Amino acid sequence: MQQITIITPDDWHLHFRDGDLLGETVPATARCFARAIVMPNLVPPVINAKLAMEYKTRILKARPQGSHFEPLMTLYLTNQTTKQDIIDAKNSGVIAAKLYPAGATTNSAQAVSGIEALYPVFEEMQIQGLLLLVHGEVTESHVDIFDREKIFIDQYMAKIVQAFPELKVVFEHITTSDAADFVLNSASNVGATITPQHLLLNRNDLLVGGIQPHNYCLPVLKRSSHQQALRKVVAGGSNKFFLGTDSAPHAKHAKENACGCAGCYSAWSALELYAQVFDELGALDKLEGFTSFHGADFYGLPRNTTTLTLRKQSWTVPEFVTLPNGDAMVPFFAGKTVDWKLV
């Protein structure tokens, strides 16, 4: 197949950041996605409806002229989040709340410690129909970083899903066969997003031949067997799995640093890279479901009606992107060839 036309997709997990960065990140996403779930881990974080709506206004101002791109806003859960915060968020149009275990990723220091203490909040989310988005890793320093997702499932995720059977839960950016199996074996209220980097790379791409800082993300890349498990589930076409790029911008100097930032900025190539993966797997017929249907259906939102076309045509991801403040940023797959291109 040399060309494929699909319903315009959505990105069910990304980071826009804020300020002048929006002038880069919003157009990059709006070029091919109709909607996107916007992560709330700003500084300070988006902890209530008022902050969420103010952030949405800033994102809308950064849309390209004529674009109908729609940001879907989320709340950042803390140990101070109340039931009233959830009610207010629902009434304002926020559609989900994000659970970050404290210290799990960028700007998560103010997140949750003692997850069981949030059960009353989860109960209110279940009542209000607000989705729970979970960064599923434990953060205790003694736990091996490659085991943190599996241990989170055993210690927390399985218990949350059992305690709140009507709460829709998205296991974000899964990285292991354990997480894939957990989602497959759970009820229909549990889904998962999968990133392009976790389908394309494994920990060799992070560590072999020297540290590759631009492939460093959290959750960290896992061994090849886990990568192959993720590729298998997307090729299988299960409606429990859907597109979530976790695109996360960081300046080059912040990544190439003694304590480099975690995150891959994939907005300019993610859709094309997903197409490349599905092509490699002989599963292009499953691409549209993963990119355009499963997420919308899981969130209970209407599917998009417009279309876009991808053509099998090689191109090279730029070595860097210049940010509005003049800093350079290295995009995901920089300098590498992609086999599919947005028409």
Side-chain angles (χ1 to χ4, degrees):
M1 186 180 295
Q2 298 300 308
Q3 187 165 294
I4 183 170
T5 297
I6 61 174
I7 294 294
T8 305
D10 304 299
D11 188 342
W12 298 100
H13 182 112
L14 61 67
H15 301 264
F16 278 142
R17 309 302 186 207
D18 207 355
D20 62 0
L21 262 180
L22 295 176
E24 159 61 28
T25 56
V26 176
T29 293
R31 74 186 181 94
C32 62
F33 294 112
R35 298 170 292 202
I37 288 286
V38 181
M39 290 296 104
N41 57 329
L42 304 182
V43 181
V46 180
I47 59 172
N48 57 46
K50 179 176 181 292
L51 291 173
M53 292 304 102
E54 290 172 351
Y55 186 27
K56 182 176 183 177
T57 297
R58 298 194 296 276
I59 294 168
L60 291 174
K61 286 181 179 179
R63 286 189 305 188
Q65 187 172 2
S67 170
H68 299 290
F69 170 77
E70 181 184 1
L72 304 173
M73 308 311 293
T74 63
L75 210 64
Y76 182 109
L77 294 174
T78 74
N79 287 108
Q80 287 71 50
T81 302
T82 66
K83 290 186 175 185
Q84 189 61 49
D85 289 329
I86 299 302
I87 295 167
D88 293 344
K90 177 67 174 182
N91 290 338
S92 72
V94 170
I95 68 171
K98 182 64 183 279
L99 173 63
Y100 290 104
T105 190
T106 304
N107 300 338
S108 64
Q110 298 183 57
V112 174
S113 56
I115 290 173
E116 291 87 350
L118 276 187
Y119 273 29
V121 172
F122 297 162
E123 182 179 14
E124 189 62 41
M125 290 173 63
Q126 185 171 247
I127 293 168
Q128 297 297 327
L130 216 67
L131 282 81
L132 175 64
L133 316 182
V134 181
H135 183 121
E137 292 186 289
V138 297
T139 56
E140 290 86 352
S141 59
H142 68 275
V143 178
D144 190 302
I145 193 169
F146 294 106
D147 296 332
R148 291 182 177 188
E149 187 170 88
K150 181 184 186 306
I151 291 174
F152 186 91
I153 295 170
D154 297 338
Q155 290 188 355
Y156 300 108
M157 185 68 104
K159 295 175 183 177
I160 292 170
V161 168
Q162 182 177 12
F164 303 98
E166 303 302 318
L167 177 64
K168 284 190 173 181
V169 179
V170 182
F171 201 157
E172 299 282 22
H173 42 52
I174 64 169
T175 66
T176 61
S177 60
D178 308 280
D181 289 342
F182 174 80
V183 174
L184 282 170
N185 294 324
S186 294
S188 60
N189 63 312
V190 179
T193 54
I194 303 180
T195 75
Q197 60 265 28
H198 291 107
L199 290 169
L200 285 159
L201 307 178
N202 58 64
R203 63 189 187 183
N204 280 0
D205 299 290
L206 176 64
L207 300 171
V208 171
I211 300 287
Q212 307 298 315
H214 299 287
N215 289 340
Y216 173 54
C217 56
L218 288 172
V220 71
L221 297 170
K222 303 301 193 297
R223 64 170 66 246
S224 176
S225 59
H226 292 298
Q227 177 196 5
Q228 297 309 316
L230 299 184
R231 289 168 72 94
K232 181 179 179 180
V233 295
V234 299
S238 169
N239 64 0
K240 284 175 157 283
F241 302 94
F242 36 94
L243 183 157
T245 65
D246 198 17
S247 182
H250 292 286
K252 183 174 184 286
H253 65 80
K255 294 284 289 180
E256 299 175 4
N257 190 286
C259 187
C261 293
C264 299
Y265 183 63
S266 60
W268 285 111
S269 61
L271 181 61
E272 294 88 339
L273 288 169
Y274 281 119
Q276 180 165 308
V277 168
F278 278 78
D279 191 17
E280 291 170 356
L281 295 170
L284 275 174
D285 60 316
K286 304 296 196 305
L287 178 68
E288 186 175 45
F290 179 80
T291 62
S292 310
F293 296 158
H294 300 167
D297 295 348
F298 190 84
Y299 272 79
L301 296 173
R303 294 178 177 182
N304 299 317
T305 56
T306 56
T307 63
L308 55 73
T309 298
L310 292 154
R311 180 178 299 145
K312 197 160 190 179
Q313 176 183 340
S314 295
W315 61 285
T316 302
V317 178
E319 294 283 356
F320 67 92
V321 173
T322 302
L323 297 174
N325 66 359
D327 283 346
M329 177 170 58
V330 178
F332 181 60
F333 239 57
K336 295 184 179 179
T337 299
V338 183
D339 295 334
W340 287 81
K341 189 175 179 65
L342 185 66
V343 175

